[in-house]
Amino acid sequence: MSTEVLAIREDGPRIGGKRPVCASAIEVRYPHTGEVIGLVGRASADDVRQALDFAEGFRSSLSRYERHRILVRARELIEARADEWARLITLESGLCLRDTRHEVRRTCDVLQCAANQVLVEHGGVYPGDVTESGSARKIVTLTEPLLGVICAITPFNHPLNQVAHKVVPAVAIGNRVVLKPSEKTPLSALMFADTLYEAGLPPEMLQVVTGDPAELGAALLDDPRVSMIAFTGSSTVGKRIADRAGYRRVILELGGIDPAIVCDDTDLAAAAELVARGAYGNSGQRCTAIKRVLVQNAVAAEFTALLVAQTRKWRTGDPLDSATDIGTVIDEGSARRIEDAVHAAVRAGAEIACGGVRVGAHYAPTVVERVTPEMALVTEEVFGPVAPIVRFADDAEAIRIANSSRYALSASVLTRDLTRAFGFVTGLHAGNVNIAEVPGYRLESMPFGGLKDSGLGDKEGVVEAMRNYTTVKTCSLPW
């Protein structure tokens, strides 16, 4: 265990470019040791209303070029302090530095992609004289920011990149955002806001309120000045938000129980390495993490042995140690829930092939075999580094098992037969299907989102998000 003394960072909400005084604070703890590493002001419902006042009363006059330069400058500022950013995310989340460095790089990609898209004209021109009833006119479509404020609510598992995916496309269009980051990981969100301000963003375009969602939820979700709610988190909370949103736009990116389908014609050694990466990266705390490993009967024993060998290579330990491959989950309570889910599967007949050890908020990468499709380990989202193996006979059964979930976010298919792969692409219920890759593979620009309980509304990804955060105005003129 590290003996380093960790400094306590004091911070708070950002409202109108200022940091209001709060009556109480949230403790942010380093999950590896339990040490308090941050005290963040707890915003009130009045603070939320004030943030909405500042945002709603502001209309941006920034040109496309000025918005482009702000996003480019923000990327440059983050790249110049990438190690500091990664360390901060590790301290508040317990994710290892390998994961948090990758998150910083992804955030820079979001900023670069949005900066490029700002300069692209997404409107259209249509001729008016193409029908008998037409006339000599031109029809032009213009893209404008939403009339109201965007409420963005982000989770703990990607404390920086999830914030960027909500905020950056909105800023690129010229919208105003009130952001509510997870109370477990608010520090990087606040630092991100400061970075955008330093890059030239008017403070009214981004307000940040920190605190308990139970205290802030009604003020955020019920205010008529909010015209869109963008949320990433659990399906349970997402459905409550959808019920509450009423006649407003919503983008809900929710959970997933993503399958990796290992076919009998694939390279099993490469598949085992890929499955380990997809199941254990980010401590298994991703909506697109591999949460079911469907393996064809003929190769199940060999593949399991290879996956166990790969799993044993993953080094657990202090997340701040660069040699560590997997850090903690978000807190000890979450680690206990993962442990309980695995033990419940064992009581139902499954077997732990390796791992299954918890120490505080650490849960070792774990392979569980003899799992059946109806076990809760693969029907409910276990947000941790667990690879449950479910066997299947043929492609039809694999698709049936994969589609039996109430979630349909992403899937991975490991086969060397392209025709076979296309059969899975068309047969699987999933918003994203990756061949010979992890379910979570994505570029920051591409559309991303799920079906069923995995999401509602339009997809994420910078290009799609910018479209979703836009009002289209149509005008016509003589020609």
Side-chain angles (χ1 to χ4, degrees), residues 240-265:
R240 292 175 187 160
I241 289 174
D243 288 341
R244 199 157 189 166
Y247 190 63
R248 289 180 289 178
R249 296 192 194 186
V250 293
I251 299 178
L252 303 178
E253 296 297 338
L254 310 176
I257 302 183
D258 305 296
I261 301 172
V262 181
C263 298
D264 58 4
D265 64 344

Side-chain angles (χ1 to χ4, degrees), residues 39-112:
L39 293 172
V40 176
R42 189 188 300 268
S44 66
D46 284 340
D47 291 324
V48 170
R49 285 187 282 271
Q50 187 177 19
L52 288 168
D53 286 342
F54 277 109
E56 195 271 337
F58 181 80
R59 290 293 183 274
S60 171
S61 61
L62 293 172
S63 69
R64 287 177 185 251
Y65 178 73
E66 288 169 331
R67 282 176 271 148
H68 166 83
R69 285 302 309 158
I70 288 169
L71 298 176
V72 169
R73 179 59 179 151
R75 190 204 77 222
E76 292 169 346
L77 290 169
I78 291 174
E79 285 179 336
R81 300 166 62 188
D83 288 344
E84 180 183 345
W85 277 99
R87 177 183 166 82
L88 177 62
I89 300 169
T90 291
L91 285 172
E92 66 178 345
S93 69
L95 298 171
C96 70
L97 285 173
R98 184 174 72 172
D99 288 331
T100 58
R101 286 168 179 155
H102 179 62
E103 177 154 352
V104 174
R105 291 192 296 271
R106 286 187 61 193
T107 300
C108 290
D109 289 347
V110 172
L111 286 159
Q112 184 61 58

Side-chain angles (χ1 to χ4, degrees), residues 81-412:
R81 300 166 62 188
D83 288 344
E84 180 183 345
W85 277 99
R87 177 183 166 82
L88 177 62
I89 300 169
T90 291
L91 285 172
E92 66 178 345
S93 69
L95 298 171
C96 70
L97 285 173
R98 184 174 72 172
D99 288 331
T100 58
R101 286 168 179 155
H102 179 62
E103 177 154 352
V104 174
R105 291 192 296 271
R106 286 187 61 193
T107 300
C108 290
D109 289 347
V110 172
L111 286 159
Q112 184 61 58
C113 179
N116 294 340
Q117 286 295 315
V118 167
L119 303 179
V120 176
E121 175 55 62
H122 294 284
V125 179
Y126 305 84
D129 58 353
V130 296
T131 67
E132 184 178 354
S133 58
S135 59
R137 299 182 69 82
K138 289 287 186 185
I139 298 95
V140 180
T141 58
L142 310 174
T143 55
E144 297 181 347
L146 302 181
L147 291 177
V149 180
I150 295 171
C151 167
I153 304 172
T154 57
F156 65 78
N157 57 318
H158 289 292
L160 179 60
N161 197 46
Q162 286 285 358
V163 167
H165 265 291
K166 295 284 188 285
V167 170
V168 171
V171 165
I173 293 296
N175 285 288
R176 296 133 303 144
V177 182
V178 174
L179 168 69
K180 163 61 178 72
S182 170
E183 65 279 9
K184 297 180 179 180
T185 55
L187 297 174
S188 50
L190 292 166
M191 189 167 161
F192 186 65
D194 288 345
T195 301
L196 287 171
Y197 302 152
E198 184 180 350
L201 186 74
E204 293 86 354
M205 290 182 71
L206 176 60
Q207 324 284 313
V208 187
V209 291
T210 51
D212 187 340
E215 298 173 9
L216 305 181
L220 282 166
L221 300 178
D222 296 346
D223 196 297
R225 293 171 293 182
V226 172
S227 61
M228 167 176 272
I229 302 163
F231 169 81
T232 298
S234 74
S235 298
T236 300
V237 176
K239 288 181 177 182
R240 292 175 187 160
I241 289 174
D243 288 341
R244 199 157 189 166
Y247 190 63
R248 289 180 289 178
R249 296 192 194 186
V250 293
I251 299 178
L252 303 178
E253 296 297 338
L254 310 176
I257 302 183
D258 305 296
I261 301 172
V262 181
C263 298
D264 58 4
D265 64 344
T266 196
D267 180 332
L268 295 180
E273 186 279 330
L274 185 144
V275 167
R277 178 160 48 89
Y280 310 144
N282 221 67
S283 299
Q285 297 173 128
R286 292 179 297 179
C287 56
T288 56
I290 293 172
K291 302 185 183 78
R292 294 179 290 168
V293 188
L294 309 187
V295 186
Q296 197 153 14
N297 287 332
V299 296
E302 182 181 356
F303 173 81
T304 300
L306 290 167
L307 180 58
V308 167
Q310 281 288 337
T311 301
R312 286 177 173 152
K313 294 178 182 179
W314 283 64
R315 293 160 295 185
T316 61
D318 186 346
L320 289 172
D321 184 343
S322 292
T324 296
D325 293 314
I326 182 169
T328 70
V329 293
I330 189 62
D331 52 34
E332 185 171 349
S334 294
R336 288 185 184 277
R337 285 190 289 275
I338 298 165
E339 182 180 43
D340 290 344
V342 171
H343 286 171
V346 170
R347 289 193 298 272
E351 296 179 4
I352 297 175
C354 71
V357 177
R358 184 188 64 80
V359 179
H362 286 271
Y363 192 80
T366 299
V367 177
V368 186
E369 56 182 339
R370 301 190 185 282
V371 177
T372 56
E374 71 279 359
M375 288 183 181
L377 189 65
V378 288
T379 61
E380 300 301 322
E381 190 172 24
V382 177
F383 217 52
V386 180
I389 295 178
V390 179
R391 298 189 180 197
F392 68 89
D394 54 26
D395 295 2
E397 185 180 24
I399 291 172
R400 181 183 60 76
I401 293 171
N403 289 348
S404 66
S405 175
R406 63 190 178 95
Y407 295 97
L409 183 55
S410 296
S412 169

